[in-house]
Amino acid sequence: MKSHGKGGFTLIELIVVIAILGMLIGIAAPKLMSFLGSGQLERCRSNMVALMKDGMEYEKDMANRRTLPVSGMPDDEETEYADESEGWWISLSGNASAPDKAGMPVRVPARYHCPCDTRADVGESEMFDSSTKSVSYVSWTDDSDDPETPNSCIKVDKVKHLGDLPWLSDGVPQAGQSVRDVASFRKLVPASSWERHNDTLVVGYSNCSTVKAFKVDEDENAEKLFKRIAPALADKATPKGKKRKK
């Protein structure tokens, strides 16, 4: 009898193996991406929780005014080296991270940067130079401190809907600007903000104790998302005598 020698895989066997591997990868890839995305989202939520604590400390320090800082709030004349009106983080970071010279950036803790924000590489250090590109969160306001001044700080003791009024959220900061209506929402919180972690937007509210993650629907436009995130601002923007369409 003729014995068969040990040979390699046949072409058909290789094709079958490759096809099976392709199917397994196709099944596993979405779950893996979802798992990785959930981890990144949790890191971002942790950042926001920490920033809410910073907000509570800031409010205690400003006991005589009871305010939360926003981008565009009036500059404090006592601030020698940094213009507080440029960004909320300049006020919130405190004197500990103030620059030594005029014109130098304020350094802020790592929690001010979302790990999924690729606009700037801040490295793995505990502190980084803040800017509109390196800071990953934007401020919101209802102009409660001064209705005549756009982007005025949030006067906590004048706001009855702190649990419905966002203070910080994922976004793309611009110097001196805060979210106050749908138009500014489109500008400061573009789609790239929630695409950072699987179409989910992280929002911290003005009571400094509420942090929510909003899953953005595929067909959801900016106006609908704005109303869902900030119902108090949406109601405020509705002209008196007119009812919003349901």
Side-chain angles (χ1 to χ4, degrees):
M1 277 180 79
K2 202 174 184 182
S3 62
H4 295 281
K6 292 183 179 179
F9 289 106
T10 65
L11 179 59
I12 294 177
E13 289 173 332
L14 285 173
I15 292 174
V16 171
V17 170
I18 291 172
I20 293 172
L21 287 175
M23 291 175 59
L24 292 175
I25 291 172
I27 295 171
K31 294 183 178 180
L32 178 61
M33 293 301 294
S34 178
F35 173 76
L36 293 175
S38 63
Q40 292 170 335
L41 174 60
E42 284 308 309
R43 287 180 64 186
C44 192
R45 288 189 66 159
S46 296
N47 283 354
M48 189 65 70
V49 170
L51 290 174
M52 294 296 102
K53 292 180 181 179
D54 291 347
M56 284 190 283
E57 291 300 318
Y58 181 90
E59 186 186 335
K60 287 180 183 178
D61 292 340
M62 300 291 288
N64 59 324
R65 296 190 66 217
R66 295 202 63 197
T67 61
L68 290 173
V70 300
S71 299
M73 64 184 286
D75 184 39
D76 185 345
E77 295 180 0
E78 296 178 1
T79 306
E80 186 175 357
Y81 295 121
D83 184 357
E84 291 176 326
S85 67
E86 290 186 357
W88 58 272
W89 57 88
I90 296 175
S91 298
L92 196 64
S93 59
N95 295 328
S97 55
D100 296 328
K101 298 179 181 179
M104 297 293 288
V106 173
R107 290 182 63 78
V108 294
R111 59 181 172 272
Y112 287 61
H113 179 80
C114 171
C116 305
D117 186 357
T118 59
R119 293 176 306 126
D121 183 8
V122 302
E124 298 295 329
S125 59
E126 294 183 0
M127 303 282 288
F128 66 91
D129 291 344
S130 65
S131 71
T132 54
K133 288 187 176 181
S134 60
V135 174
S136 305
Y137 307 102
V138 298
S139 58
W140 294 53
T141 180
D142 68 345
D143 302 326
S144 60
D145 188 47
D146 184 0
E148 301 300 321
T149 302
N151 304 317
S152 66
C153 56
I154 297 174
K155 198 71 184 293
V156 176
D157 56 354
K158 289 185 178 181
V159 181
K160 297 179 181 180
H161 44 78
L162 292 173
D164 290 329
L165 174 63
W167 171 43
L168 300 176
S169 76
D170 286 311
V172 179
Q174 296 193 30
Q177 298 185 39
S178 295
V179 178
R180 50 202 297 266
D181 51 26
V182 176
S184 54
F185 176 74
R186 289 193 184 98
K187 187 176 183 179
L188 299 175
V189 190
S192 59
S193 302
W194 60 77
E195 288 172 353
R196 292 172 187 168
H197 22 64
N198 289 343
D199 295 331
T200 303
L201 190 68
V202 179
V203 182
Y205 286 80
S206 297
N207 56 12
C208 289
S209 62
T210 303
V211 174
K212 297 180 181 179
F214 291 86
K215 184 68 176 177
V216 184
D217 297 331
E218 187 175 347
D219 59 347
E220 191 167 24
N221 60 30
E223 186 175 2
K224 288 182 179 179
L225 181 59
F226 177 78
K227 289 179 180 179
R228 192 151 63 95
I229 294 172
L233 282 181
D235 287 338
K236 187 176 181 180
T238 304
K240 292 183 178 180
K242 293 184 178 181
K243 294 184 179 180
R244 287 187 322 188
K245 293 181 180 179
K246 294 184 179 180

